[in-house]
Amino acid sequence: MYLDAEDENVLAGEFGETRQKMMEILVALGRVYDAEKLVPIASAQVSGASYKTIGKWGLHWLSTMNARVAVPAVLNPIGMPRDEWRELDGITPEFAHQQEEVLAAYRRLGIKLECTCTPYYLQRTEYGEHLAWSESSAVCYANSVIGARTNREGGPSALAAAIVGKTPFYGLHIVENRRPGVVVEVEAGDAPHADHYGAIGYLAGREVGNRIPIFTGIRPGRDQLKALGAAMAASGAVALFHVDKITPETRVFHFETESLERITVGQQDIEDLFAALDVDAVAIGCPHCSPDELREVANLLRDKQTTKPLLVFVARAVARENPDLVGAIERSGAKVVPDTCMVVSPAMDRYRAIMVDSGKAFAYVPGMCGALARIGTRKECIDVATS
Ligand code: F3S
């Protein structure tokens, strides 16, 4: 892999041991994937932020580092609200202490303590920009909805890219590799959940695996694209998808699809996911809610009171910019929770069954929280939480 003079100096340790080690990670990755060079990145999003997922060895590794990031970088959701962790039942002081140590380590590296899987609501991300993002739904959104270019980074490689300011040029950074490999057709119909994009993504992801799908015959909006990609990234390993005439690259490139395998997501398959189940909590905001989604939740909760815990997860900046919506939601007894989420917070581990509106959470809650998962529309979730 070609390295310029500065890269070589970093690799030789002239800019300190941490930068040297980070460059070694990038070079090793580049060699594995046969990258021809490193490419500068506009931003990084670093996973491995919740103490629930990285544990004491992850914290130890972070604590040994001594460098500053070279590009704007934010964190994935952590295990608790950053400042108000005492307000979330289920967070112990011991966990909070360890989580604060993790945050302190990232702060020393110059990473902004914005902890979200929706960094695109915080910082402008442009079509064609190279990124090193690691949370799978954020990767899918950046590639597919924005048309930026990022591989699905692991926590260490995203951190290495943030500190060096570059990433190996391979995979989805190369335009040629962004062509679709399979066509997904969604059966039209008027079944109750026909346009639940989390469910469609959950089913499509299982068939698609790590290929790049192109959908035909659907017209999702931005939040629906977010739900679709997040679910496919969880039930499959999708890092980029296209929707004909909707996502930006289908309007820039001509994709030949005649010879591709075709998969159908059927109406009955979608309906079969929506089995009833008694739940003891309801969680919304996977990925973190957009302002429009917060507004929808606030409207659905108008004049209602919760009878079960209802948690709404969001980026702190989005909550801060929408205090009226947060207030309207919380007047019902629901809780708007920044910085963390239903999967990476230990607060959710005490529930037996959790209802979600997200195909991604539906896929992850059983394994990550040890709870049964039920999927519903946002309205069904609110109805269950207030019944
Ligand atoms: Fe985000 Fe957590 Fe879902 S990181 S995509 S809210 S599992």
Side-chain angles (χ1 to χ4, degrees), residues 31-72:
R31 289 205 175 122
V32 167
Y33 288 102
D34 218 10
E36 68 181 66
K37 60 181 180 181
L38 297 175
V39 65
I41 55 167
S43 66
Q45 189 253 1
V46 179
S47 63
S50 170
Y51 186 73
K52 173 177 168 178
T53 55
I54 67 168
K56 68 176 177 181
W57 296 113
L59 172 57
H60 174 73
W61 184 67
L62 288 172
S63 306
T64 61
M65 293 195 175
N66 180 18
R68 300 282 291 178
V69 293
V71 295

Short mmCIF file of all heavy atoms in Angstrom, two decimals, residues 31-72:
data_model
loop_
_atom_site.label_atom_id
_atom_site.label_comp_id
_atom_site.label_asym_id
_atom_site.label_seq_id
_atom_site.Cartn_x
_atom_site.Cartn_y
_atom_site.Cartn_z
N ARG A 31 -3.60 -3.74 4.03
CA ARG A 31 -2.94 -4.91 3.40
C ARG A 31 -3.92 -6.06 3.26
O ARG A 31 -3.95 -6.74 2.24
CB ARG A 31 -1.72 -5.31 4.22
CG ARG A 31 -0.62 -4.26 4.08
CD ARG A 31 0.78 -4.82 4.34
NE ARG A 31 1.75 -3.76 4.07
CZ ARG A 31 2.63 -3.31 4.95
NH1 ARG A 31 2.69 -3.84 6.15
NH2 ARG A 31 3.47 -2.36 4.61
N VAL A 32 -4.72 -6.30 4.30
CA VAL A 32 -5.70 -7.40 4.25
C VAL A 32 -6.64 -7.20 3.07
O VAL A 32 -6.98 -8.15 2.35
CB VAL A 32 -6.49 -7.49 5.57
CG1 VAL A 32 -7.71 -8.40 5.42
CG2 VAL A 32 -5.60 -7.97 6.70
N TYR A 33 -7.08 -5.97 2.87
CA TYR A 33 -8.09 -5.71 1.82
C TYR A 33 -7.47 -5.19 0.52
O TYR A 33 -8.19 -4.74 -0.36
CB TYR A 33 -9.15 -4.72 2.34
CG TYR A 33 -10.05 -5.38 3.36
CD1 TYR A 33 -9.87 -5.14 4.72
CD2 TYR A 33 -11.05 -6.25 2.97
CE1 TYR A 33 -10.67 -5.75 5.66
CE2 TYR A 33 -11.86 -6.86 3.91
CZ TYR A 33 -11.67 -6.61 5.24
OH TYR A 33 -12.47 -7.23 6.18
N ASP A 34 -6.14 -5.23 0.44
CA ASP A 34 -5.47 -4.88 -0.79
C ASP A 34 -5.73 -3.43 -1.21
O ASP A 34 -5.90 -3.13 -2.39
CB ASP A 34 -5.95 -5.82 -1.91
CG ASP A 34 -4.81 -6.17 -2.83
OD1 ASP A 34 -3.67 -5.85 -2.48
OD2 ASP A 34 -5.07 -6.75 -3.91
N ALA A 35 -5.76 -2.54 -0.23
CA ALA A 35 -5.97 -1.11 -0.54
C ALA A 35 -4.73 -0.55 -1.20
O ALA A 35 -3.61 -0.89 -0.81
CB ALA A 35 -6.27 -0.35 0.75
N GLU A 36 -4.91 0.32 -2.19
CA GLU A 36 -3.73 0.88 -2.87
C GLU A 36 -3.12 2.04 -2.10
O GLU A 36 -1.95 2.37 -2.27
CB GLU A 36 -4.10 1.34 -4.29
CG GLU A 36 -5.03 2.53 -4.32
CD GLU A 36 -5.41 2.95 -5.72
OE1 GLU A 36 -6.09 2.17 -6.39
OE2 GLU A 36 -5.03 4.06 -6.10
N LYS A 37 -3.93 2.71 -1.23
CA LYS A 37 -3.45 3.91 -0.53
C LYS A 37 -4.39 4.21 0.64
O LYS A 37 -5.40 3.54 0.83
CB LYS A 37 -3.46 5.09 -1.49
CG LYS A 37 -4.86 5.39 -2.03
CD LYS A 37 -4.86 6.57 -3.00
CE LYS A 37 -6.30 6.80 -3.49
NZ LYS A 37 -6.42 7.87 -4.44
N LEU A 38 -4.05 5.26 1.38
CA LEU A 38 -4.97 5.81 2.38
C LEU A 38 -5.68 7.00 1.75
O LEU A 38 -5.12 7.68 0.88
CB LEU A 38 -4.20 6.28 3.62
CG LEU A 38 -3.45 5.21 4.41
CD1 LEU A 38 -2.64 5.86 5.53
CD2 LEU A 38 -4.42 4.19 5.00
N VAL A 39 -6.89 7.27 2.21
CA VAL A 39 -7.64 8.41 1.69
C VAL A 39 -8.06 9.29 2.88
O VAL A 39 -8.45 8.76 3.93
CB VAL A 39 -8.84 7.91 0.85
CG1 VAL A 39 -9.85 7.16 1.69
CG2 VAL A 39 -9.52 9.04 0.12
N PRO A 40 -7.96 10.62 2.75
CA PRO A 40 -8.38 11.50 3.86
C PRO A 40 -9.88 11.37 4.12
O PRO A 40 -10.67 11.21 3.18
CB PRO A 40 -8.04 12.91 3.36
CG PRO A 40 -7.05 12.71 2.27
CD PRO A 40 -7.37 11.39 1.63
N ILE A 41 -10.27 11.46 5.38
CA ILE A 41 -11.70 11.37 5.73
C ILE A 41 -12.19 12.72 6.26
O ILE A 41 -11.42 13.51 6.80
CB ILE A 41 -11.96 10.27 6.78
CG1 ILE A 41 -11.09 10.47 8.04
CG2 ILE A 41 -11.75 8.90 6.17
CD1 ILE A 41 -11.51 9.62 9.21
N ALA A 42 -13.51 12.93 6.12
CA ALA A 42 -14.12 14.17 6.61
C ALA A 42 -14.51 14.05 8.08
O ALA A 42 -14.53 15.05 8.80
CB ALA A 42 -15.36 14.50 5.77
N SER A 43 -14.86 12.85 8.52
CA SER A 43 -15.26 12.67 9.93
C SER A 43 -15.19 11.19 10.30
O SER A 43 -15.10 10.32 9.43
CB SER A 43 -16.68 13.21 10.17
OG SER A 43 -17.62 12.44 9.45
N ALA A 44 -15.26 10.97 11.61
CA ALA A 44 -15.28 9.59 12.13
C ALA A 44 -16.40 9.46 13.15
O ALA A 44 -16.78 10.43 13.80
CB ALA A 44 -13.94 9.25 12.78
N GLN A 45 -16.95 8.26 13.23
CA GLN A 45 -17.93 7.94 14.27
C GLN A 45 -17.45 6.64 14.89
O GLN A 45 -17.28 5.64 14.20
CB GLN A 45 -19.34 7.80 13.68
CG GLN A 45 -20.44 7.68 14.73
CD GLN A 45 -21.02 6.29 14.85
OE1 GLN A 45 -20.60 5.37 14.16
NE2 GLN A 45 -21.98 6.12 15.73
N VAL A 46 -17.19 6.70 16.20
CA VAL A 46 -16.44 5.62 16.85
C VAL A 46 -17.37 4.79 17.74
O VAL A 46 -17.99 5.31 18.67
CB VAL A 46 -15.29 6.21 17.70
CG1 VAL A 46 -14.51 5.11 18.40
CG2 VAL A 46 -14.37 7.06 16.82
N SER A 47 -17.46 3.50 17.46
CA SER A 47 -18.25 2.61 18.33
C SER A 47 -17.33 2.06 19.41
O SER A 47 -16.13 2.36 19.46
CB SER A 47 -18.87 1.48 17.51
OG SER A 47 -17.86 0.69 16.94
N GLY A 48 -17.91 1.22 20.28
CA GLY A 48 -17.11 0.76 21.42
C GLY A 48 -17.11 1.84 22.49
O GLY A 48 -16.08 2.16 23.08
N ALA A 49 -18.28 2.45 22.73
CA ALA A 49 -18.36 3.56 23.68
C ALA A 49 -19.10 3.16 24.95
O ALA A 49 -18.89 3.77 25.99
CB ALA A 49 -19.05 4.75 23.01
N SER A 50 -19.99 2.16 24.85
CA SER A 50 -20.71 1.74 26.05
C SER A 50 -19.83 0.79 26.86
O SER A 50 -19.29 -0.18 26.31
CB SER A 50 -22.01 1.02 25.68
OG SER A 50 -22.57 0.42 26.85
N TYR A 51 -19.77 1.02 28.16
CA TYR A 51 -19.00 0.10 29.01
C TYR A 51 -19.64 -1.29 28.99
O TYR A 51 -18.96 -2.28 29.15
CB TYR A 51 -18.92 0.64 30.45
CG TYR A 51 -18.01 -0.20 31.31
CD1 TYR A 51 -16.63 -0.14 31.16
CD2 TYR A 51 -18.54 -1.07 32.26
CE1 TYR A 51 -15.79 -0.94 31.92
CE2 TYR A 51 -17.71 -1.87 33.04
CZ TYR A 51 -16.34 -1.80 32.87
OH TYR A 51 -15.51 -2.58 33.62
N LYS A 52 -20.95 -1.34 28.71
CA LYS A 52 -21.62 -2.66 28.62
C LYS A 52 -21.00 -3.50 27.50
O LYS A 52 -20.93 -4.71 27.60
CB LYS A 52 -23.11 -2.44 28.35
CG LYS A 52 -23.90 -3.73 28.07
CD LYS A 52 -25.39 -3.47 27.87
CE LYS A 52 -26.11 -4.69 27.32
NZ LYS A 52 -27.55 -4.50 27.16
N THR A 53 -20.56 -2.86 26.42
CA THR A 53 -20.03 -3.64 25.29
C THR A 53 -18.50 -3.77 25.33
O THR A 53 -17.97 -4.77 24.89
CB THR A 53 -20.46 -3.03 23.94
OG1 THR A 53 -20.07 -1.66 23.90
CG2 THR A 53 -21.95 -3.13 23.73
N ILE A 54 -17.78 -2.75 25.86
CA ILE A 54 -16.30 -2.88 25.78
C ILE A 54 -15.68 -3.44 27.05
O ILE A 54 -14.58 -3.99 27.00
CB ILE A 54 -15.61 -1.55 25.41
CG1 ILE A 54 -15.75 -0.49 26.50
CG2 ILE A 54 -16.11 -1.03 24.09
CD1 ILE A 54 -14.83 0.70 26.27
N GLY A 55 -16.36 -3.29 28.21
CA GLY A 55 -15.85 -3.88 29.44
C GLY A 55 -14.50 -3.32 29.87
O GLY A 55 -13.99 -2.33 29.32
N LYS A 56 -13.88 -3.98 30.84
CA LYS A 56 -12.68 -3.40 31.46
C LYS A 56 -11.47 -3.44 30.52
O LYS A 56 -10.61 -2.57 30.59
CB LYS A 56 -12.38 -4.08 32.79
CG LYS A 56 -11.93 -5.51 32.71
CD LYS A 56 -11.57 -6.00 34.11
CE LYS A 56 -11.18 -7.46 34.03
NZ LYS A 56 -10.83 -8.02 35.33
N TRP A 57 -11.41 -4.42 29.61
CA TRP A 57 -10.24 -4.47 28.74
C TRP A 57 -10.29 -3.39 27.67
O TRP A 57 -9.26 -2.82 27.30
CB TRP A 57 -10.11 -5.86 28.10
CG TRP A 57 -9.86 -6.90 29.15
CD1 TRP A 57 -10.69 -7.92 29.53
CD2 TRP A 57 -8.73 -6.98 30.02
NE1 TRP A 57 -10.14 -8.63 30.57
CE2 TRP A 57 -8.94 -8.07 30.89
CE3 TRP A 57 -7.56 -6.22 30.17
CZ2 TRP A 57 -8.04 -8.43 31.88
CZ3 TRP A 57 -6.65 -6.59 31.15
CH2 TRP A 57 -6.89 -7.68 31.99
N GLY A 58 -11.51 -3.10 27.21
CA GLY A 58 -11.66 -1.98 26.28
C GLY A 58 -11.27 -0.68 26.93
O GLY A 58 -10.56 0.15 26.34
N LEU A 59 -11.73 -0.48 28.18
CA LEU A 59 -11.38 0.74 28.91
C LEU A 59 -9.87 0.82 29.13
O LEU A 59 -9.26 1.88 28.96
CB LEU A 59 -12.13 0.76 30.25
CG LEU A 59 -11.73 1.87 31.22
CD1 LEU A 59 -11.90 3.26 30.59
CD2 LEU A 59 -12.59 1.78 32.50
N HIS A 60 -9.25 -0.30 29.44
CA HIS A 60 -7.80 -0.30 29.66
C HIS A 60 -7.07 0.12 28.37
O HIS A 60 -6.16 0.95 28.41
CB HIS A 60 -7.35 -1.70 30.08
CG HIS A 60 -5.86 -1.82 30.17
ND1 HIS A 60 -5.13 -1.25 31.19
CD2 HIS A 60 -4.96 -2.40 29.33
CE1 HIS A 60 -3.85 -1.48 30.99
NE2 HIS A 60 -3.71 -2.18 29.87
N TRP A 61 -7.50 -0.43 27.23
CA TRP A 61 -6.87 -0.10 25.94
C TRP A 61 -6.98 1.39 25.67
O TRP A 61 -6.01 2.06 25.31
CB TRP A 61 -7.53 -0.92 24.83
CG TRP A 61 -6.91 -0.75 23.49
CD1 TRP A 61 -5.66 -1.15 23.11
CD2 TRP A 61 -7.50 -0.13 22.34
NE1 TRP A 61 -5.44 -0.83 21.78
CE2 TRP A 61 -6.55 -0.20 21.29
CE3 TRP A 61 -8.73 0.46 22.08
CZ2 TRP A 61 -6.80 0.31 20.02
CZ3 TRP A 61 -8.99 0.96 20.81
CH2 TRP A 61 -8.03 0.88 19.80
N LEU A 62 -8.18 1.95 25.89
CA LEU A 62 -8.37 3.39 25.64
C LEU A 62 -7.50 4.23 26.56
O LEU A 62 -6.98 5.28 26.16
CB LEU A 62 -9.84 3.76 25.87
CG LEU A 62 -10.84 3.27 24.83
CD1 LEU A 62 -12.26 3.56 25.29
CD2 LEU A 62 -10.59 3.93 23.48
N SER A 63 -7.34 3.77 27.80
CA SER A 63 -6.62 4.55 28.79
C SER A 63 -5.13 4.65 28.47
O SER A 63 -4.44 5.52 29.00
CB SER A 63 -6.79 3.94 30.18
OG SER A 63 -8.16 3.80 30.45
N THR A 64 -4.62 3.76 27.62
CA THR A 64 -3.19 3.79 27.30
C THR A 64 -2.88 4.80 26.18
O THR A 64 -1.72 5.01 25.84
CB THR A 64 -2.71 2.40 26.82
OG1 THR A 64 -3.44 2.06 25.63
CG2 THR A 64 -2.91 1.35 27.88
N MET A 65 -3.89 5.41 25.60
CA MET A 65 -3.66 6.23 24.39
C MET A 65 -3.32 7.67 24.73
O MET A 65 -3.85 8.24 25.67
CB MET A 65 -4.91 6.22 23.54
CG MET A 65 -5.16 4.86 22.98
SD MET A 65 -6.33 4.98 21.68
CE MET A 65 -6.30 3.31 21.18
N ASN A 66 -2.49 8.24 23.88
CA ASN A 66 -2.06 9.62 24.09
C ASN A 66 -1.91 10.29 22.73
O ASN A 66 -0.84 10.26 22.11
CB ASN A 66 -0.73 9.62 24.86
CG ASN A 66 -0.24 11.02 25.10
OD1 ASN A 66 -1.01 11.98 25.01
ND2 ASN A 66 1.04 11.16 25.38
N ALA A 67 -3.02 10.86 22.25
CA ALA A 67 -3.00 11.55 20.95
C ALA A 67 -4.28 12.36 20.85
O ALA A 67 -5.12 12.30 21.76
CB ALA A 67 -2.91 10.54 19.80
N ARG A 68 -4.44 13.12 19.77
CA ARG A 68 -5.68 13.86 19.53
C ARG A 68 -6.20 13.48 18.15
O ARG A 68 -5.41 13.22 17.23
CB ARG A 68 -5.42 15.37 19.55
CG ARG A 68 -4.86 15.89 20.85
CD ARG A 68 -5.89 16.03 21.93
NE ARG A 68 -6.86 17.09 21.68
CZ ARG A 68 -7.88 17.37 22.50
NH1 ARG A 68 -8.06 16.64 23.60
NH2 ARG A 68 -8.72 18.34 22.23
N VAL A 69 -7.51 13.48 18.01
CA VAL A 69 -8.07 13.15 16.70
C VAL A 69 -7.73 14.25 15.69
O VAL A 69 -7.57 15.41 16.05
CB VAL A 69 -9.60 12.95 16.77
CG1 VAL A 69 -9.94 11.71 17.58
CG2 VAL A 69 -10.31 14.17 17.31
N ALA A 70 -7.63 13.85 14.43
CA ALA A 70 -7.25 14.79 13.36
C ALA A 70 -8.47 15.32 12.61
O ALA A 70 -8.34 16.24 11.81
CB ALA A 70 -6.31 14.08 12.39
N VAL A 71 -9.65 14.71 12.83
CA VAL A 71 -10.88 15.12 12.12
C VAL A 71 -12.02 15.16 13.14
O VAL A 71 -11.91 14.55 14.22
CB VAL A 71 -11.24 14.13 10.99
CG1 VAL A 71 -10.19 14.14 9.89
CG2 VAL A 71 -11.44 12.72 11.54
N PRO A 72 -13.13 15.84 12.82
CA PRO A 72 -14.28 15.79 13.73
C PRO A 72 -14.72 14.35 13.98
O PRO A 72 -14.85 13.57 13.03
CB PRO A 72 -15.37 16.57 12.97
CG PRO A 72 -14.62 17.44 12.02
CD PRO A 72 -13.38 16.68 11.64
#
